[in-house]
Amino acid sequence: MQLNLNTQNHNPQFGMAININSSNFSRILSERVKNGNDIIRLERIFERANKNDIVDIYLGTNENGRLWANLAERRVNKTAEKVNFQQDLTPYADSFHEGLFSRLFKNPVNTIEDLVIKAEHKAEEIKSSRKLFEAVQKALSEK
């Protein structure tokens, strides 16, 4: 995967796990991330996030250049066998808005990495919940 911060696409997607929802995100991120090592680290973070097939991260910036993010459980296809998670389980959703001090003192790469870690932890919780739900459904159907 290549990370191009100067993209002309206003909604670039880095795999399915991270989606950019702001036309000026790339410009603002490139203004705030100057270190080459941080850019390489950001590419690795995006690659790591792309492995998460349960929770997606939607990144953007507001008019003040502050990062925001929404974390959301990826919807399972309605034709999935046995269990329709879209209807049977409450989907996970969370949001993040970068505060003034974070904007001034925290590297945005660290912020994005924290979001990816949070999404990974939530994905593990969702996997456990799905397994439990499937076990209960199976037990109930055998009666």
Side-chain angles (χ1 to χ4, degrees), residues 20-49:
I20 306 300
N21 289 330
S22 176
S23 61
N24 61 352
F25 179 83
S26 296
R27 179 185 57 79
I28 289 174
L29 193 61
S30 64
E31 288 172 1
R32 292 180 59 189
V33 178
K34 301 289 186 192
N35 185 336
N37 290 333
D38 281 343
I39 293 172
I40 292 168
R41 200 168 126 233
L42 189 61
E43 287 178 350
R44 289 184 184 143
I45 292 167
F46 281 136
E47 288 172 3
R48 182 175 164 187

Side-chain angles (χ1 to χ4, degrees), residues 17-134:
I18 293 187
N19 302 286
I20 306 300
N21 289 330
S22 176
S23 61
N24 61 352
F25 179 83
S26 296
R27 179 185 57 79
I28 289 174
L29 193 61
S30 64
E31 288 172 1
R32 292 180 59 189
V33 178
K34 301 289 186 192
N35 185 336
N37 290 333
D38 281 343
I39 293 172
I40 292 168
R41 200 168 126 233
L42 189 61
E43 287 178 350
R44 289 184 184 143
I45 292 167
F46 281 136
E47 288 172 3
R48 182 175 164 187
N50 287 338
K51 294 176 185 174
N52 186 340
D53 61 349
I54 295 176
V55 177
D56 290 334
I57 302 171
Y58 299 88
L59 291 172
T61 55
N62 67 13
E63 61 278 355
N64 298 323
R66 294 184 188 162
L67 294 176
W68 60 262
N70 290 323
L71 281 65
E73 181 178 351
R74 184 174 299 165
R75 295 295 191 160
V76 176
N77 188 344
K78 286 186 177 184
T79 60
E81 288 184 31
K82 298 180 185 174
V83 178
N84 183 341
F85 292 110
Q86 189 169 0
Q87 292 176 353
D88 296 335
L89 295 176
T90 304
Y92 164 75
D94 196 5
S95 63
F96 162 82
H97 297 277
E98 185 178 46
L100 176 62
F101 290 109
S102 293
R103 165 75 171 92
L104 295 174
F105 300 112
K106 189 172 182 183
N107 184 333
V109 176
N110 292 340
T111 301
I112 293 170
E113 184 174 37
D114 291 346
L115 291 166
V116 169
I117 291 168
K118 185 175 184 177
E120 288 172 342
H121 289 308
K122 196 59 184 180
E124 288 302 317
E125 289 178 21
I126 291 169
K127 280 183 193 177
S128 296
S129 296
R130 287 180 180 177
K131 286 179 184 177
L132 178 62
F133 185 79
E134 288 173 346

